[in-house]
Amino acid sequence: MELIQHLFEGLPTLWGGGVAHSVMILSLVISLGLLLGKIKVANISLGLAWVLFIGIVFGHFAFNLDQHLLHFLKEFGLILFVYSIGIQVGPSIVSSFRRGGLKLNILAVITIALSIIAMLNIAYATGTKVSTMAGILSGAVTNTPGLGAAQQAFSDMHGIDAPEIAMAYAVTYPVGVIGVIVCFIILKYALRIDTQKEEQEAKRGLGATEDMTVRHFTVCVTNKLIVGKTLKEIRDIVQRDFVISRMLPVGTERHTDIVNGRTTFRLGDKMLITAKPKDIDPIITVFGEPAEVDWQKCDKHHVVSRILITKPNINGKTIAQLKIRTHFGANITRVYRSGVELVAAPQLRLQMGDSLTIVGTELAISQTEKMLGNSMKKLNVPNLIPIFLGIALGCVLANIPFYLPGIDQPLKLGLTGGPLIVAILIGYFGPKYKLITYNTISANLMVREIGICIFLACVGLGCGKDFVHTVVNAEGLTWIGYGAIVTILPILIGGLIGRYFFHLNFYTLLGVLAGANTNPPALNYANDTTASDAPAVAYSTVYPFAMFLRIITIQIIILTLG
């Protein structure tokens, strides 16, 4: 028993000053937390929150880390997590507004604002400390970066940590997970949703997601006005982004052509076109009428292939600059990036890691592949320079003071805001200036998960001593009630606004509300209710901006009111 006691308490002579002991405790907390995170009840799991809860248990029984090491690991884990989030969302945070996501992001902003208003009203009505309410807000909307941002802002302002932030977060986190799903069920019945109709519209990509998805359709040229005109001339007429991947000339049954800007059209020509759902009708009107063609049977000499961009010199170039159709006779029909399909418009700027769908002969595909790279091995090699250089710049930005009107005390972005903003800027502007910022999804996820696990474990260990006492008394139960209000009211009100004012498809609405709360369990529930990708598309559209707002607004609340 004495050996076990020394093992967990850490003996300087045995553990070299306590470092090995601290790392062992940290690793045990993370391992047990991740193991419990795999357990699901009614297909719902608390996920990484278990790492926090196991840390609290270890902290309660005084199985803790060296305090200096605890502080360093907590801050470093938070930096890794926030920076990897910024790198991930940076390329899409602006494009999420351009791809028709403005309406969805406005609803997300409204939902976020409602949760903040609810939190502030509770704070003023009950006299609860703003730091405690910041923890309740972070837990109620399942936003772990918000927890880190609140703790860091409070520490920068007062020079000490506020354990009540983490305790309030831990108490209300389960409410945030379950409460959103309960709200989804309530909205389904309150809005009298016809699931079959909503499902059909979602699959067709109708509604607010029209600009964020692509569809493939066949048309037959019956419009005499375009006979003899080139594709370039027709593009000027249509003024829509579309790609003709293959054409079946009139009078042939088993011969297709690759189309370029100089291609002319005759009556009876049939084409396979890729475009956004909202552009389908105008494009069909210009060309003629819909048609049915079995392209697999009539297209024997062309193949379809997916090619990855892995050559650095391609990063930042537009499709038009590559001149693939001119040089090789191949056609780029789609671009797959970060889970979203894009129309391969000539002006689209490509990035490392983009997956291109290309149609052409085997020789043309082979030549295109050599040009673009298509080497997974190259993508698997992580680009570490942007990560560590970005973190260094983020730490510099974190400590630059700035002033807001009406606040005498200088404010700082802190170790959450600084690295986050730098990461977003690098992620967005990097490809434009030929900076390779791409890392595989698995590599980015690994950095992110390691960072958040270390952070949550350290937070749990730091607040475990007083957690049980807080939860079992009336104060803990009160926090749960406050968390339920902050979770439920904004979701219900946001759902009504999204349905009646923005006229969103129900499954798109669920994705927006889950994304506004940065709530993966809620997204999983929404995905399970439909065979369409509408919830996932909406979630990925609002998630970048919602995450940014959650992190920035909670810091402003702490710095101005805390």
Side-chain angles (χ1 to χ4, degrees):
M1 291 300 295
E2 184 178 356
L3 176 61
I4 295 176
Q5 182 180 0
H6 290 327
L7 181 68
F8 282 96
E9 290 181 356
L11 217 63
T13 56
L14 180 62
W15 294 102
V19 174
H21 155 76
S22 296
V23 172
M24 184 199 71
I25 293 294
L26 185 69
S27 300
L28 284 175
V29 169
I30 294 174
S31 300
L32 291 174
L34 293 176
L35 186 63
L36 290 173
K38 296 181 180 295
I39 299 175
K40 292 185 178 181
V41 178
N43 206 30
I44 299 174
S45 170
L46 295 182
L48 290 176
W50 274 111
V51 177
L52 174 66
F53 297 140
I54 296 299
I56 289 172
V57 172
F58 272 59
H60 176 73
F61 290 102
F63 298 148
N64 218 320
L65 274 63
D66 173 82
Q67 289 301 311
H68 298 290
L69 189 59
L70 177 71
H71 180 75
F72 167 75
L73 287 173
K74 183 176 70 173
E75 303 296 344
F76 185 64
L78 180 62
I79 290 172
L80 287 180
F81 176 71
V82 170
Y83 190 83
S84 62
I85 286 286
I87 283 290
Q88 178 189 3
V89 306
S92 58
I93 195 168
V94 174
S95 59
S96 64
F97 289 90
R98 294 175 178 172
R99 292 198 308 265
L102 180 61
K103 184 187 295 185
L104 303 187
N105 276 286
I106 290 174
L107 178 58
V109 171
I110 292 172
T111 306
I112 292 170
L114 288 171
S115 64
I116 294 174
I117 292 171
M119 182 270 280
L120 293 177
N121 281 329
I122 293 172
Y124 285 120
T126 63
T128 306
K129 290 193 298 184
V130 171
S131 57
T132 301
M133 289 307 304
I136 291 174
L137 173 63
S138 299
V141 300
T142 65
N143 189 260
T144 305
L147 164 66
Q151 285 199 317
Q152 181 64 45
F154 190 92
S155 178
D156 288 344
M157 188 173 182
H158 299 284
I160 57 173
D161 290 334
E164 68 270 11
I165 298 178
M167 288 190 287
Y169 170 90
V171 168
T172 55
Y173 187 94
V175 178
V177 172
I178 299 171
V180 174
I181 296 174
V182 171
C183 289
F184 286 174
I185 297 172
I186 294 173
L187 286 172
K188 177 182 177 181
Y189 292 100
L191 299 174
R192 298 180 181 179
I193 297 298
D194 182 344
T195 54
Q196 187 174 1
K197 178 183 177 183
E198 299 293 324
E199 180 84 15
Q200 291 174 351
E201 291 183 353
K203 286 183 178 179
R204 294 200 304 270
L206 300 179
T209 59
E210 287 180 330
D211 287 327
M212 296 173 282
T213 56
V214 298
R215 295 291 182 266
H216 320 291
F217 58 98
T218 301
V219 299
C220 178
V221 177
T222 59
N223 183 2
K224 296 180 181 180
L225 296 177
I226 69 167
V227 172
K229 292 187 179 294
T230 65
L231 176 59
K232 185 178 184 302
E233 292 173 328
I234 294 175
R235 283 188 183 279
D236 294 335
I237 296 172
V238 177
Q239 294 187 343
R240 300 286 200 283
D241 286 334
F242 68 94
V243 174
I244 301 177
S245 56
R246 279 163 284 184
M247 184 173 78
L248 186 65
V250 63
T252 63
E253 295 182 358
R254 299 189 179 277
H255 175 71
T256 59
D257 291 333
I258 296 295
V259 178
N260 57 42
R262 297 184 299 275
T263 300
T264 58
F265 300 95
R266 297 179 296 170
L267 290 175
D269 287 347
K270 296 177 180 178
M271 295 157 291
L272 179 63
I273 300 179
T274 302
K276 299 172 184 176
K278 72 169 188 175
D279 295 332
I280 292 177
D281 288 341
I283 292 171
I284 291 177
T285 300
V286 170
F287 280 102
E289 60 187 28
E292 295 290 336
V293 174
D294 189 342
W295 291 100
Q296 290 184 342
K297 288 185 178 180
C298 69
D299 195 6
K300 299 293 185 182
H301 66 289
H302 286 144
V303 295
V304 180
S305 180
R306 272 199 170 187
I307 296 178
L308 289 170
I309 296 179
T310 60
K311 285 195 174 180
N313 63 308
I314 304 297
N315 189 61
K317 289 187 175 181
T318 64
I319 291 178
Q321 289 175 323
L322 299 182
K323 298 181 179 179
I324 288 177
R325 275 186 297 201
T326 303
H327 293 158
F328 309 131
N331 201 8
I332 302 175
T333 62
R334 281 167 288 166
V335 178
Y336 192 77
R337 176 186 300 163
S338 301
V340 177
E341 275 190 323
L342 306 173
V343 178
Q347 70 275 12
L348 180 65
R349 197 174 296 275
L350 301 173
Q351 299 178 10
M352 280 280 287
D354 283 351
S355 178
L356 311 184
T357 299
I358 299 182
V359 178
T361 63
E362 290 187 3
L363 177 60
I365 295 292
S366 176
Q367 292 172 326
T368 305
E369 186 176 9
K370 290 180 182 178
M371 178 183 182
L372 301 179
N374 201 36
S375 173
M376 182 59 73
K377 182 178 179 181
K378 288 186 177 180
L379 289 183
N380 286 336
V381 177
N383 295 294
L384 296 179
I385 293 178
I387 293 177
F388 287 103
L389 178 61
I391 289 175
L393 294 175
C395 290
V396 172
L397 181 62
N399 289 283
I400 295 177
F402 64 94
Y403 291 86
L404 291 178
I407 302 176
D408 296 332
Q409 185 176 352
L411 306 180
K412 297 179 182 179
L413 291 174
L415 291 178
T416 47
L420 175 69
I421 291 176
V422 169
I424 290 174
L425 292 176
I426 288 178
Y428 178 69
F429 290 106
K432 293 185 177 182
Y433 296 98
K434 306 297 186 294
L435 176 65
I436 306 299
T437 61
Y438 176 82
N439 279 302
T440 61
I441 295 176
S442 58
N444 186 276
L445 186 62
M446 175 67 78
V447 174
R448 189 175 75 187
E449 296 298 288
I450 288 177
I452 193 60
C453 285
I454 292 175
F455 172 75
L456 288 175
C458 291
V459 169
L461 289 167
C463 70
K465 181 179 178 182
D466 301 320
F467 181 80
V468 174
H469 173 73
T470 302
V471 172
V472 297
N473 63 23
E475 186 178 24
L477 297 176
T478 304
W479 290 357
I480 293 175
Y482 295 162
I485 295 173
V486 174
T487 298
I488 294 173
L489 281 183
I491 293 295
L492 292 179
I493 297 174
L496 295 175
I497 294 173
R499 187 65 176 181
Y500 291 120
F501 288 90
F502 294 127
H503 308 290
L504 298 183
N505 175 273
F506 180 66
Y507 298 111
T508 299
L509 178 62
L510 297 188
V512 174
L513 296 177
N517 274 27
T518 62
N519 192 325
L523 174 63
N524 293 336
Y525 173 83
N527 284 332
D528 289 340
T529 62
T530 175
S532 73
D533 61 353
V537 172
Y539 183 93
S540 63
T541 301
V542 304
Y543 177 86
F545 193 56
M547 178 65 76
F548 175 78
L549 284 182
R550 290 288 187 193
I551 292 175
I552 295 300
T553 53
I554 203 163
Q555 289 185 90
I556 294 175
I557 291 170
I558 289 291
L559 293 173
T560 55
L561 304 175

